[in-house]
Amino acid sequence: MWQRWFTVKGRSLFSIAFSLHRLTGIVLTIYLCMHLAYLTSIRMGKEVFESFIATTVTPQFLIFDILLILAGVYHGVNGLRLIIHEFGLAYESRKSILYISVAIALIVWLIASYRMYVFVMGV
Amino acid sequence: MDVEFKIKRFDGEKSYWQTFNIPVKKGMTVLEGLYYIKENLDGSLAFRASCRMAICGSCAVKINGKPRLACETQILEIGNKLEIEPLDNFRVIKDLVTDFEGFFAKHESVKPYLIRKDDNYEEPVELIQSPKELYAYYDFTLCVKCGICYSVCPAAATRDDYLGPAAITAAYRFNADSRDEGEKTRLALVCGDNGVWRCHFAAECSEVCPKQIDPAKAVQKMRFKAAIEAIKSIFR
């Protein structure tokens, strides 16, 4: 049944936005669990935690971080778009608002990715 | 000009695709194409149709992946290859005929009629309404109950007991009617987790509605009213 969240054939951009919202929600949930497990490692000592940091804050992991930021930013901005409509506002402009929210998500993602690139690569 | 109709058929046990080539003239609709097949090529083809002018909502099918009314869709607007399937989110009975019993039961469950304390069928009285009051709900009266909105709704796809956009729109249509006095009754019916709170605003229902009545808007307005009522009930 849940596979039908991802039916996009013959559908409009709104269904694609919905499917991506679901997909990014699942990704963020998995990430949250991993993140909490990761943070818990500090209970095993500073050295253990820092060894985790040394493993993940690396150029090899940068692509995953960039994709994670994309998922997070898209989910957040699209969520705000949904809240606007669910408060009873701007249905008639929903297409424009969808385009604007995707544009905002892309801009924020590019800026965040650039900053992460500079931080990790040290350039 | 010949056009290929590839139809997804179901004989009660298995579904399969069958292809027909039919001669098409300019202006011919998909429904006329289906009638041509039934009358000339294969009399066993089952589909539902009635008014042939987009009023009854019977002939909704998926055409090249998008749900439409077959009677108002011209074949040559689509192309020279058509894939026709039954609507999603409905049980298929035979070929393109789907089971609408649950859909109509949900529609009926939201009491889609005027509720008034002074109903008197022996001596009916005229209920006056201004144009502004009429326009508050008029668009939503145009629903033909074709089920297209329900067929694309991801919330209906994943939960059978979800009321769906058409039923909630019908509830909103009567709640927004100045002559009606059943707002609270209907709000109670649609504010459960199988009602307005199940909608995730994919808004696909509004995109595909053949009458452009914007069911997503009605669902969100009902949801907003349900939220206000819920908050008010805390202070009562």
Side-chain angles (χ1 to χ4, degrees):
Chain A
M1 290 287 270
W2 61 270
Q3 296 94 323
R4 295 195 198 171
W5 287 338
F6 305 107
T7 304
V8 290
K9 191 190 170 197
R11 304 282 169 90
S12 70
L13 281 175
F14 291 96
S15 276
I16 296 169
F18 170 81
S19 298
L20 286 175
H21 198 74
R22 287 272 142 156
L23 183 67
T24 53
I26 293 166
V27 168
L28 291 173
T29 306
I30 293 168
Y31 170 72
L32 180 67
C33 295
M34 288 167 64
H35 181 65
L36 291 174
Y38 192 105
L39 287 182
T40 309
S41 69
I42 204 163
R43 291 167 67 95
M44 290 184 267
K46 192 180 170 193
E47 294 74 26
V48 177
F49 181 72
E50 281 180 351
S51 72
F52 269 116
I53 291 283
T55 311
T56 52
V57 185
T58 57
Q60 290 78 21
F61 267 79
L62 184 60
I63 185 69
F64 297 112
D65 286 332
I66 285 173
L67 289 174
L68 181 70
I69 289 288
L70 177 61
V73 170
Y74 173 81
H75 198 83
V77 175
N78 193 55
L80 286 174
R81 175 182 73 86
L82 296 177
I83 289 168
I84 289 171
H85 293 315
E86 288 176 357
F87 266 108
L89 302 169
Y91 306 104
E92 286 76 11
S93 312
R94 62 180 181 274
K95 202 160 263 179
S96 314
I97 291 174
L98 177 63
Y99 291 140
I100 291 167
S101 62
V102 170
I104 291 171
L106 284 175
I107 291 166
V108 172
W109 173 61
L110 287 172
I111 294 169
S113 299
Y114 175 71
R115 295 217 161 196
M116 284 172 64
Y117 177 80
V118 169
F119 177 76
V120 174
M121 305 301 280
V123 289
Chain B
M1 176 181 182
D2 272 15
V3 168
E4 184 183 293
F5 270 52
K6 193 177 172 192
I7 300 175
K8 192 171 191 182
R9 304 197 59 179
F10 179 67
D11 61 9
E13 288 176 357
K14 63 179 191 306
S15 67
Y16 58 96
W17 289 92
Q18 190 172 6
T19 304
F20 302 94
N21 286 300
I22 66 163
V24 169
K25 289 184 288 187
K26 191 180 173 193
M28 194 168 161
T29 64
V30 173
L31 183 59
E32 287 171 318
L34 293 173
Y35 272 117
Y36 180 89
I37 294 168
K38 191 170 180 69
E39 287 162 7
N40 300 286
L41 305 175
D42 187 344
S44 71
L45 178 68
F47 55 91
R48 196 185 277 126
S50 184
C51 74
R52 306 189 190 203
M53 53 184 181
I55 290 174
C56 72
S58 304
C59 62
V61 287
K62 259 169 78 180
I63 303 168
N64 285 8
K66 191 175 176 186
R68 300 164 186 263
L69 293 179
C71 67
E72 66 166 8
T73 306
Q74 294 194 12
I75 296 169
L76 296 177
E77 271 181 14
I78 305 291
N80 56 7
K81 281 188 179 178
L82 273 69
E83 269 189 12
I84 303 173
E85 300 166 73
L87 292 178
D88 290 335
N89 298 349
F90 289 94
R91 186 179 67 86
V92 180
I93 297 171
K94 186 178 188 310
D95 298 340
L96 303 174
V97 179
T98 48
D99 183 3
F100 264 55
E101 202 171 311
F103 176 79
F104 288 135
K106 286 170 184 171
H107 187 258
E108 192 184 355
S109 73
V110 300
K111 300 185 186 290
Y113 42 80
L114 286 183
I115 299 173
R116 288 184 62 84
K117 294 184 191 89
D118 62 353
D119 261 348
N120 185 350
Y121 293 105
E122 300 301 318
E123 293 174 35
V125 290
E126 189 178 6
L127 302 169
I128 306 296
Q129 199 165 50
S130 70
K132 193 182 169 191
E133 288 169 331
L134 172 70
Y135 294 139
Y137 68 87
Y138 176 73
D139 284 353
F140 302 108
T141 66
L142 302 176
C143 176
V144 293
K145 285 90 186 165
C146 60
I148 283 180
C149 57
Y150 191 90
S151 76
V152 294
C153 174
T158 49
R159 190 163 156 179
D160 287 340
D161 66 345
Y162 175 49
L163 286 172
I168 297 173
T169 300
Y172 179 74
R173 173 255 175 272
F174 283 96
N175 276 10
D177 191 326
S178 60
R179 300 165 297 177
D180 184 76
E181 294 168 352
E183 184 177 13
K184 285 192 176 157
T185 309
R186 270 186 225 98
L187 266 180
L189 292 169
V190 302
C191 76
D193 68 339
N194 65 337
V196 290
W197 303 112
R198 179 69 185 157
C199 171
H200 305 302
F201 198 75
E204 193 66 28
C205 51
S206 293
E207 293 299 305
V208 295
C209 177
K211 295 291 174 184
Q212 285 92 43
I213 64 166
D214 216 345
K217 178 178 175 179
V219 176
Q220 302 319 307
K221 281 185 174 280
M222 279 300 266
R223 171 145 55 185
F224 193 64
K225 283 197 172 185
I228 298 289
E229 275 302 310
I231 293 165
K232 276 184 185 171
S233 70
I234 296 169
F235 299 103
R236 275 188 203 124

